[in-house]
């Protein structure tokens, strides 16, 4: 296992497997073009290793050039392909064979075809070392394929994750098991928000607070915000499916996160079941629920002090604070049982220095 930036990758293809695929491509192409001098055009940056090894294996006359395209940021395609280095000019009447490191959705391939569509080449062929058949749109034929691979993010042998990993001789696959999804519980004043900020920075997690989601959607007058507001204005509870849809949108808008901290949801076992069902559709799950435990008398004093600064009325009235604690205790009890049955409930002492509490939380997370 290796770590690049914030993510872990596991071995996928050995050097021997890669070289066998490269040599196999060279043999196939040579069988078709050994009697002429084709122009091989490598696609930068990812194909530089592939092109180098391919040319060593191709034992017949040829020329080589490069184009440079880009459509990836981190783990995901932006959907916008930029041309950063134009194709050569001396290709009229020649056979042009593109050497791609990887073909997945076909967006880059479409741009490649467009680049050469107005040129008067003799033949135009596509060769790719790696091919994700299950997500390719099939718009253009791929003439030569080295290895067909599943739709998993890979690095190594020229391919990168945020520019790291290109120099690896082997190919590694993203290890999805290291995605961490947490539900964070805590009584008012327990420091849940503070700890969530530290955890999201340390582990590259996205903090999803349902309160923030509601405020964002209503403030920006989104369709979900309008729907939620219609219930709130009638004095009704917002249905779980609306909240889940907000969560779903936020998860899908953050594909590079190494996991999520869910804060304020679930509040009931029905919501917990709905969250499990949604995550399952994405091949994800809740890894742990962590409750920041703290003595209520200590928290009351902490909230009263906070109220002097924040001006929040509910932090200035001890009776209101105790009511909030009672509501928390009633709602959390069944959720505790729900997650204990799954072996996912953890309690952490929430009293002490902030760094000490963060350390305790980190121990739980790193043992997952």
């Amino acid at each position: 296992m290796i770590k690049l930036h914030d993510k872990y990758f596991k071995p996928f293809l050995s050097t021997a497997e890669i070289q066998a695929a490269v040599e196999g491509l060279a043999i196939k192409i040579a069988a078709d073009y050994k009697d002429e001098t084709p122009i091989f055009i490598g696609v930068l940056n990812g194909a530089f290793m592939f092109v180098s090894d391919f040319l060593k294996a191709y034992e017949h006359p040829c020329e080589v050039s490069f184009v440079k395209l880009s459509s990836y940021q981190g783990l995901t395609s932006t959907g916008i392909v930029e041309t950063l280095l134009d194709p050569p000019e001396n290709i009229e009447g020649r056979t042009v064979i593109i050497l791609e490191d990887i073909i997945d959705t076909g967006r880059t391939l479409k741009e490649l075809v467009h680049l050469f569509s107005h040129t008067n080449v003799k033949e135009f062929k596509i060769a790719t070392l790696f091919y994700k058949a299950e997500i390719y749109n099939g718009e253009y034929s791929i003439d030569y394929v080295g290895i067909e691979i599943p739709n998993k993010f890979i690095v190594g042998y020229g391919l990168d994750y945020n520019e790291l990993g290109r120099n690896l001789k082997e190919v590694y696959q993203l290890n999805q098991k290291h995605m961490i999804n947490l539900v964070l519980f805590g009584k008012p004043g327990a420091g849940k928000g503070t700890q969530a900020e530290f955890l999201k920075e340390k582990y590259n997690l996205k903090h999803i607070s349902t309160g923030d989601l509601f405020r964002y959607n209503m403030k920006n007058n989104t369709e979900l915000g309008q729907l939620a507001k219609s219930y709130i204005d009638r004095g009704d509870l917002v249905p779980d499916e609306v909240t889940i849809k907000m969560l779903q949108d936020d998860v899908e808008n953050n594909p590079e996160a190494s996991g999520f901290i869910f804060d304020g949801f679930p509040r009931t076992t029905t919501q917990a079941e709905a969250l499990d069902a949604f995550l399952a559709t994405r091949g994800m799950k809740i890894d742990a629920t962590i409750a920041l435990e703290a003595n209520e008398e200590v928290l009351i004093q902490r909230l009263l002090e906070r109220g002097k600064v924040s001006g929040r009325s509910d932090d200035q009235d001890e009776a209101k604070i105790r009511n909030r604690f009672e509501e928390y205790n009633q709602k959390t009890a069944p959720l505790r049982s729900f997650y204990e049955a799954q072996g996912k409930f953890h309690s952490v002492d929430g009293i002490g220095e902030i760094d000490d509490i963060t350390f305790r939380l980190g121990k739980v997370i790193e043992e997952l």
Side-chain angles (χ1 to χ4, degrees):
M1 196 85 70
I2 62 169
K3 184 178 182 182
L4 301 176
H5 293 298
D6 56 308
K7 299 198 181 299
Y8 291 85
F9 296 82
K10 58 187 177 182
F12 178 52
L13 294 171
S14 67
T15 301
E17 290 173 305
I18 297 167
Q19 291 305 314
V22 173
E23 291 169 10
L25 280 172
I27 291 170
K28 291 175 186 175
I29 295 173
D32 295 335
Y33 295 102
K34 63 183 178 181
D35 295 329
E36 59 179 286
T37 305
I39 301 177
F40 293 113
I41 298 184
V43 183
L44 297 174
N45 288 332
F48 72 95
M49 276 194 177
F50 169 39
V51 173
S52 175
D53 286 344
F54 176 88
L55 292 175
K56 294 172 189 175
Y58 192 84
E59 299 177 348
H60 304 280
C62 64
E63 295 181 20
V64 63
S65 187
F66 292 91
V67 294
K68 186 172 182 179
L69 306 176
S70 176
S71 70
Y72 263 78
Q73 290 181 353
L75 301 179
T76 56
S77 174
T78 63
I80 301 172
V81 181
E82 299 178 271
T83 303
L84 306 176
L85 181 64
D86 291 326
E89 297 179 356
N90 61 330
I91 59 177
E92 185 172 346
R94 306 285 299 279
T95 293
V96 171
I97 303 174
I98 295 293
L99 297 179
E100 260 277 38
D101 52 339
I102 187 168
I103 290 177
D104 42 35
T105 62
R107 292 191 186 103
T108 304
L109 179 56
K110 183 176 182 178
E111 182 65 19
L112 282 168
V113 173
H114 175 73
L115 278 176
F116 291 92
S117 62
H118 302 299
T119 60
N120 189 24
V121 299
K122 177 183 175 183
E123 278 191 291
F124 179 76
K125 299 290 184 179
I126 300 287
T128 184
L129 179 56
F130 304 119
Y131 175 47
K132 295 182 179 180
E134 62 187 283
I135 61 168
Y136 177 57
N137 64 23
E139 188 173 355
Y140 305 102
S141 63
I142 300 171
D143 303 285
Y144 303 96
V145 173
I147 305 175
E148 188 171 317
I149 62 173
N151 183 27
K152 302 290 184 181
F153 188 85
I154 59 173
V155 297
Y157 199 70
L159 296 159
D160 74 303
Y161 169 47
N162 283 339
E163 295 305 325
L164 289 185
R166 292 193 192 276
N167 60 321
L168 297 169
K169 297 178 182 178
E170 304 84 9
V171 168
Y172 291 77
Q173 187 179 90
L174 179 65
N175 184 29
Q176 296 286 7
K177 290 184 178 179
H178 279 79
M179 175 170 273
I180 301 168
N181 298 307
L182 307 173
V183 175
L184 197 57
F185 294 115
K187 293 184 179 75
K192 184 159 53 76
T194 299
Q195 291 302 325
E197 287 297 312
F198 283 110
L199 294 178
K200 78 175 188 179
E201 292 298 326
K202 183 174 182 180
Y203 298 103
N204 188 34
L205 305 178
K206 166 67 177 176
H207 179 207
I208 298 182
S209 162
T210 50
D212 290 344
L213 284 181
F214 276 98
R215 284 187 286 273
Y216 171 84
N217 280 276
M218 288 191 287
K219 179 181 178 181
N220 290 278
N221 204 34
T222 67
E223 184 177 345
L224 287 172
Q226 293 174 24
L227 184 57
K229 189 174 185 300
S230 70
Y231 286 99
I232 293 170
D233 289 346
R234 294 197 303 265
D236 296 332
L237 293 174
V238 177
D240 290 347
E241 55 266 27
V242 176
T243 309
I244 280 285
K245 187 62 173 67
M246 288 184 183
L247 288 169
Q248 180 178 346
D249 288 351
D250 214 27
V251 168
E252 292 176 348
N253 287 334
N254 291 277
E256 294 186 22
S258 295
F260 298 87
I261 302 173
F262 296 99
D263 176 2
F265 192 93
R267 292 181 181 273
T268 66
T269 53
T270 300
Q271 291 178 350
E273 290 167 350
L275 181 59
D276 281 352
F278 157 59
L279 292 176
T281 65
R282 297 182 58 81
M284 297 160 56
K285 61 183 175 61
I286 293 297
D287 294 287
T289 59
I290 306 176
L292 282 173
E293 305 287 6
N295 180 279
E296 290 188 358
E297 299 307 316
V298 174
L299 293 182
I300 287 171
Q301 295 307 310
R302 183 184 292 177
L303 288 171
L304 289 172
E305 287 299 316
R306 187 175 78 178
K308 295 176 182 178
V309 178
S310 69
R312 286 179 51 172
S313 60
D314 57 349
D315 282 350
Q316 298 174 5
D317 186 318
E318 184 173 331
K320 290 182 179 180
I321 293 173
R322 291 191 183 276
N323 284 338
R324 288 157 67 194
F325 287 168
E326 182 59 28
E327 181 183 11
Y328 172 86
N329 290 333
Q330 290 176 358
K331 289 181 176 179
T332 305
L335 280 172
R336 178 172 185 143
S337 300
F338 177 85
Y339 285 115
E340 280 180 338
Q342 297 182 5
K344 296 179 179 178
F345 191 88
H346 303 266
S347 293
V348 169
D349 183 2
I351 297 297
E353 296 295 326
I354 290 175
D355 289 347
D356 292 337
I357 300 169
T358 305
F359 176 76
R360 294 169 203 153
L361 289 167
K363 284 187 65 177
V364 172
I365 294 169
E366 287 162 16
E367 289 174 1
L368 295 175

